[in-house]
């Protein structure tokens, strides 16, 4: 716990809107100070660099009903250009920006008007800090309960704590938490037909939605959370509930975050969410030498008022 930040229980209605007055467009990225960037640079020992963006054309077909883009090469007399048609910034590795999900009653994070948020704020500032890999996929497998990649297998908070303990690393204020389940490796092992079937009926492991998870993340005072699965949280949302219970929970707009964690994480707490980060090679290197902290950098698209962006992320060890 950082002494100058409130605990989750001290946040009015579970929202951190008052914590960074005038700088709400950054959310918890406000924790990425110059001092933390310098400290992250000191973690570089070998210079080994891992690019965390996945292939832009994966998953194929795209998930959540998003369309595939067309890559056109435009040739001139002495040059060529790339043109992407119908490209969705959330079709592959991505940051969910603070415009992506709004609270059904309160709106966007910090009470900032939707059109006044945007990915360009993050891009112009840059994202640099200490990254901490939480290899829950490897930890679950080592403990005899491997994650089911085609099922809404919930990652519990005590498992995250136990995984961090086993890795010998603790989350510190301002860290970028990198959560590896192993989902990307699973996806890449599938045939085309299996990928089509998965897109039609998506089920993946992930963290649980709800206030307990929101409190855990906030009280760690991380700057951002990125995972290798499609939604950070498990899919489908709250699978233990019946359709009738899910409908009733969704109708309770003030408590909808109990079903859909994005509502707690983005518009209430301002925690950027990364999805489908390619963490497999980084995880193998961390497991090989036992160092799970690294320097993390990300340069989102400088897209004015953008909702989301590929992370253009690197982990440097």
């Amino acid at each position: 716990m950082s002494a100058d930040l409130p605990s989750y229980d001290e946040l009015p209605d579970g929202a951190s809107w008052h914590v960074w007055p005038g700088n709400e467009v950054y959310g918890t990225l406000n924790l990425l100070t110059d001092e933390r960037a310098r400290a992250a640079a000191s973690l570089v020992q070998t210079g080994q660099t891992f690019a965390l963006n996945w292939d832009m054309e994966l998953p194929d077909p795209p998930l959540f009903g998003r369309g595939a883009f067309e890559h056109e090469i435009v040739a001139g007399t002495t040059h060529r250009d790339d043109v992407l048609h119908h490209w969705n910034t959330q079709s592959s590795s991505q940051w969910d920006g603070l415009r992506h999900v709004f609270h059904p009653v309160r709106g966007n994070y910090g009470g900032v008007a939707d059109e006044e948020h945007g990915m360009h704020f993050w891009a112009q500032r840059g994202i640099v800090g200490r990254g901490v890999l939480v290899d829950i996929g490897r930890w679950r497998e080592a403990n005899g309960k491997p994650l089911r990649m085609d099922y809404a297998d919930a990652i519990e908070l005590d498992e995250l704590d136990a995984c961090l303990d086993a890795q010998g690393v603790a989350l510190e204020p301002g860290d970028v938490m990198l959560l590896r389940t192993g989902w990307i490796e699973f996806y890449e092992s599938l045939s085309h037909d299996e990928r089509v079937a998965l897109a039609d009926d998506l089920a993946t492991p992930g963290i649980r939605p709800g206030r307990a998870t929101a409190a855990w993340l906030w009280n760690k005072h991380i700057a951002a959370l990125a995972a290798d699965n499609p939604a950070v949280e498990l899919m489908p949302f709250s699978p233990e509930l019946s359709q009738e219970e899910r409908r009733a929970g969704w109708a309770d707009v003030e408590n909808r975050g109990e079903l859909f964690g994005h509502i707690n994480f983005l518009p209430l707490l301002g925690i950027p969410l990364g999805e489908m980060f390619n963490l497999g090679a980084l995880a193998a290197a961390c497991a090989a030498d036992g160092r799970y902290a690294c320097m993390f950098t990300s340069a989102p698209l400088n897209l004015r008022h953008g909702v989301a962006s590929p992370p253009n992320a690197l982990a440097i060890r």
Side-chain angles (χ1 to χ4, degrees), residues 212-225:
T213 299
W216 190 92
L217 293 172
W218 175 262
N219 288 336
K220 299 293 185 185
H221 294 317
I222 58 173
L225 167 60

Side-chain angles (χ1 to χ4, degrees), residues 3-280:
D4 58 347
L5 289 171
S7 70
Y8 185 80
D9 289 341
E10 294 170 328
L11 296 178
D13 300 318
S16 65
W17 288 17
H18 65 293
V19 175
W20 297 287
N23 288 298
E24 292 89 353
V25 293
Y26 303 108
T28 51
L29 294 180
N30 280 289
L31 295 169
L32 293 177
T33 62
D34 294 346
E35 292 75 17
R36 287 183 171 130
R38 287 198 300 270
S42 71
L43 296 170
V44 178
Q45 295 184 15
T46 65
Q48 196 176 17
T49 300
F50 297 88
L52 305 184
N53 277 35
W54 200 14
D55 185 329
M56 282 182 61
E57 296 186 1
L58 293 177
D60 178 26
L63 307 178
F64 307 113
R66 294 171 177 138
F69 67 87
E70 176 189 348
H71 180 196
E72 179 185 4
I73 305 295
V74 179
T77 55
T78 60
H79 71 281
R80 293 180 180 84
D81 292 341
D82 291 294
V83 179
L84 301 182
H85 299 278
H86 311 294
W87 178 53
N88 188 314
T89 56
Q90 294 174 275
S91 61
S92 186
S93 302
Q94 67 193 260
W95 282 122
D96 286 351
L98 297 180
R99 292 191 72 181
H100 176 51
V101 171
F102 55 88
H103 191 276
V105 174
R106 305 179 209 181
N108 290 87
Y109 180 72
V112 176
D114 174 56
E115 65 276 8
E116 294 178 13
H117 273 294
M119 192 55 60
H120 64 288
F121 291 111
W122 300 5
Q124 291 165 11
R125 177 178 179 147
I127 300 172
V128 179
R130 179 179 184 251
V132 174
L133 182 79
V134 183
D135 194 350
I136 194 68
R138 190 174 260 100
W139 181 87
R140 284 274 299 256
E141 186 170 1
N143 283 272
K145 46 181 180 179
L147 285 169
R148 292 180 57 183
M149 296 299 164
D150 57 352
Y151 178 76
D153 194 345
I155 298 168
E156 307 295 353
L157 300 178
D158 60 350
E159 292 179 321
L160 294 176
D161 286 325
C163 178
L164 285 163
D165 286 344
Q167 293 179 177
V169 66
L171 289 170
E172 299 174 358
D175 282 349
V176 177
M177 176 177 162
L178 303 171
L179 180 65
R180 177 190 171 268
T181 64
W183 185 85
I184 280 183
E185 294 93 320
F186 158 76
Y187 184 88
E188 290 181 342
S189 74
L190 300 178
S191 68
H192 176 72
D193 288 347
E194 289 170 327
R195 294 176 183 185
V196 170
L198 179 147
D200 288 339
D201 188 19
L202 183 63
T204 73
I207 62 176
R208 284 191 185 276
R211 286 188 180 86
T213 299
W216 190 92
L217 293 172
W218 175 262
N219 288 336
K220 299 293 185 185
H221 294 317
I222 58 173
L225 167 60
D228 65 345
N229 63 354
V232 178
E233 54 189 304
L234 52 76
M235 294 286 296
F237 308 125
S238 303
E240 72 280 0
L241 300 180
S242 67
Q243 288 188 355
E244 183 176 326
E245 289 171 326
R246 196 175 291 117
R247 281 195 296 267
W250 197 256
D252 183 2
V253 291
E254 280 290 358
N255 294 298
R256 193 173 286 175
E258 293 301 296
L259 299 182
F260 181 34
H262 277 51
I263 291 175
N264 285 331
F265 309 147
L266 288 166
L268 293 185
L269 295 177
I271 300 174
L273 296 179
E275 297 165 347
M276 293 185 285
F277 275 45
N278 192 4
L279 302 175

